[in-house]
Amino acid sequence: MQQNCAANLACLPGFDLASLFLPQIQNDPIYDFSSFDMVDLDPYPYTYSCNGSVATTVSSVSAAAAAADDHQERRGNDERKKRRLASNRESARRSRVRKQRRLDELSLQVAELLGTNHRLLVELNHVIAKHAAVVRENAKLRDEAAGLQRKLSEMEVGGVGEAEAGAGAGAGTPEMA
């Protein structure tokens, strides 16, 4: 009689005999497993019928396949993300190397230009010193030329007056002063 009663209970619509034997799932807020990568499966993948056969539900199989596909897709996305991050790191490293090489080249160029600038300043100081010496010598030569011009003018003026005086007195040689 009890066996017949159990069979009748199992055939009732809305009554799940498996729920009597499987552990109950509680929604306990203390434990949060949402951050773990778990496959979301139906907790009751089997359906029991009154004739004693056990069959898996279509929704649980398709849910498991969908979950596996989703997991595979996430794994593929993670791989792509890892490759992209590695590529970005390598690109950033190459960029830093290029930047350092350019900085070294510019530092060498600065040192070279500073050396050239120093050499040109020394050369400019020599040219300025030579120019000043040439200007002083030129001024001295102008003064000397002006003095000689004055003497020449005096001699001509004096020579003309003496020549007239000497011509009246007789032929003679002009005296030197």
Side-chain angles (χ1 to χ4, degrees), residues 153-173:
S153 298
E154 288 175 3
M155 286 175 74
E156 285 178 356
V157 170
V160 171
E162 277 183 25
E164 288 177 5
T173 59

Side-chain angles (χ1 to χ4, degrees), residues 138-153:
N138 202 7
K140 183 177 133 185
L141 289 174
R142 272 197 196 110
D143 288 344
E144 189 178 327
L148 290 174
Q149 190 69 31
R150 265 193 315 269
K151 281 187 181 180
L152 185 61
S153 298

Side-chain angles (χ1 to χ4, degrees), residues 107-121:
S107 295
L108 287 174
Q109 189 177 4
V110 165
E112 189 177 298
L113 290 173
L114 285 174
T116 302
N117 192 23
H118 179 69
R119 182 183 54 77
L120 289 174
L121 284 174

Side-chain angles (χ1 to χ4, degrees), residues 60-169:
S60 66
V61 171
S62 62
D69 288 344
D70 185 45
H71 183 69
Q72 188 72 15
E73 184 178 329
R74 271 190 264 138
R75 183 178 291 155
N77 287 341
D78 288 346
E79 288 297 318
R80 281 193 294 274
K81 186 176 181 180
K82 285 178 184 177
R83 283 195 307 267
R84 190 174 61 246
L85 287 174
S87 174
N88 287 348
R89 268 190 231 106
E90 179 62 23
S91 177
R93 186 193 65 77
R94 285 192 310 264
S95 177
R96 285 191 300 272
V97 166
R98 278 194 310 269
K99 191 175 186 180
Q100 185 63 45
R101 189 179 315 128
R102 179 71 174 141
L103 184 64
D104 292 344
E105 290 172 0
L106 290 174
S107 295
L108 287 174
Q109 189 177 4
V110 165
E112 189 177 298
L113 290 173
L114 285 174
T116 302
N117 192 23
H118 179 69
R119 182 183 54 77
L120 289 174
L121 284 174
V122 168
E123 190 176 327
L124 178 64
N125 286 335
H126 286 279
V127 169
I128 289 172
K130 284 182 182 180
H131 177 265
V134 167
V135 167
R136 283 192 303 271
E137 186 178 351
N138 202 7
K140 183 177 133 185
L141 289 174
R142 272 197 196 110
D143 288 344
E144 189 178 327
L148 290 174
Q149 190 69 31
R150 265 193 315 269
K151 281 187 181 180
L152 185 61
S153 298
E154 288 175 3
M155 286 175 74
E156 285 178 356
V157 170
V160 171
E162 277 183 25
E164 288 177 5

